[in-house]
Amino acid sequence: NAGVMQNPRHLVRRRGQEARLRCSPMKGHSHVYWYRQLPEEGLKFMVYLQKENIIDESGMPKERFSAEFPKEGPSILRIQQVVRGDSAAYFCASSPTTGNEQYFGPGTRLTVT
Amino acid sequence: DAKTTQPTSMDCAEGRAANLPCNHSTISGNEYVYWYRQIHSQGPQYIIHGLKNNETNEMASLIITEDRKSSTLILPHATLRDTAVYYCIVRDFGNEKLTFGTGTRLTIIP
């Protein structure tokens, strides 16, 4: 059973460009979570989605960031007009139902130049 | 904000048991204690969780005090591959987000 997959693993963007991060949950998992880890800091929750629904986006920055989890295909975290402060590791996790442990992917390391 | 307090760092000799403490004095009745670890810059890895009773799985044991205000994660025979940052997280059953603190950086010494 393949684990949570994220791509790309490394992404370099210039200031002002858009970044799209993809997450494929484990087979049978319909709950997806995104976390961000800034350099030398802990992980911070961003958003929790179920298929086609955003359940909790309390950790998402108010502007430029959006997330979706369509009926078909991976979950996407989209960052518009990236700035240097967006440089971080972005981790996706999935779980089969609510209240279960979350399984994390390897992360996408975003570098904004 | 994290509801747990952990030592910043610990060392443990290879082959010995590693005991990682965690204080969660404000834990409420419906909150679970979860442990994750992050090896270098990889994604966090689930280890174990519990509510009141002690728990054991293939990776570790979790000992929760009777008043539930603290717990200890035990890695019975630490190996070099157990070197990681270990996070103790208190999580409400109805709350899906994990709140990570600063964790304990465990170093296994050969």
Side-chain angles (χ1 to χ4, degrees):
Chain A
N1 186 11
V4 177
M5 298 175 67
Q6 291 188 248
N7 68 79
R9 296 291 306 276
H10 299 273
L11 181 62
V12 179
R13 285 286 177 267
R14 290 202 178 100
R15 279 180 297 170
Q17 291 185 319
E18 178 179 287
R20 281 189 180 230
L21 289 63
R22 294 175 189 76
C23 169
S24 296
M26 287 178 70
K27 188 175 179 182
H29 288 195
S30 58
H31 299 243
V32 166
Y33 315 81
W34 286 92
Y35 293 81
R36 177 167 68 173
Q37 187 168 33
L38 293 168
E40 305 303 322
E41 293 189 19
L43 290 99
K44 303 290 185 192
F45 168 81
M46 299 181 76
V47 62
Y48 160 42
L49 310 101
Q50 294 179 25
K51 284 283 187 183
E52 300 184 277
N53 288 303
I54 296 174
I55 308 301
D56 182 351
E57 54 182 348
S58 58
M60 286 280 268
K62 295 278 188 284
E63 297 175 349
R64 302 187 297 109
F65 284 72
S66 62
E68 63 176 10
F69 188 16
K71 189 176 178 182
E72 302 290 339
S75 175
I76 307 284
L77 179 68
R78 181 181 177 210
I79 311 172
Q80 295 178 289
Q81 299 176 310
V82 295
V83 301
R84 288 225 172 99
D86 297 331
S87 295
Y90 291 82
F91 293 99
C92 165
S94 73
S95 69
T97 60
T98 56
N100 274 85
E101 53 268 26
Q102 296 173 20
Y103 294 90
F104 283 77
T108 293
R109 272 143 194 87
L110 172 66
T111 301
V112 179
T113 60
Chain B
D1 292 332
K3 299 180 183 179
T4 62
T5 305
Q6 299 177 252
T8 304
S9 63
M10 291 180 64
D11 293 340
C12 178
E14 188 179 15
R16 298 282 195 166
N19 296 277
L20 292 92
C22 179
N23 284 323
H24 30 80
S25 57
T26 60
I27 194 169
S28 61
N30 59 344
E31 288 181 316
Y32 288 72
V33 180
Y34 278 74
W35 283 83
Y36 280 78
R37 72 181 181 184
Q38 188 173 25
I39 297 173
H40 192 43
S41 51
Q42 297 177 22
Q45 179 187 22
Y46 166 78
I47 302 173
I48 199 167
H49 74 279
L51 181 64
K52 295 188 226 188
N53 301 321
N54 298 338
E55 301 287 344
T56 295
N57 63 19
E58 65 278 2
M59 285 183 69
S61 294
L62 174 59
I63 309 297
I64 303 175
T65 57
E66 195 168 339
D67 64 6
R68 303 215 315 128
K69 292 186 177 182
S70 65
S71 60
T72 301
L73 178 75
I74 302 172
L75 308 177
H77 304 287
T79 71
L80 298 178
R81 284 179 288 186
D82 292 321
T83 292
V85 178
Y86 287 76
Y87 296 98
C88 169
I89 299 168
V90 165
R91 179 186 176 194
D92 188 323
F93 183 77
N95 185 359
E96 290 303 300
K97 61 179 148 186
L98 297 173
T99 301
F100 289 83
T102 51
T104 296
R105 185 173 297 276
L106 175 68
T107 302
I108 306 302
I109 312 291

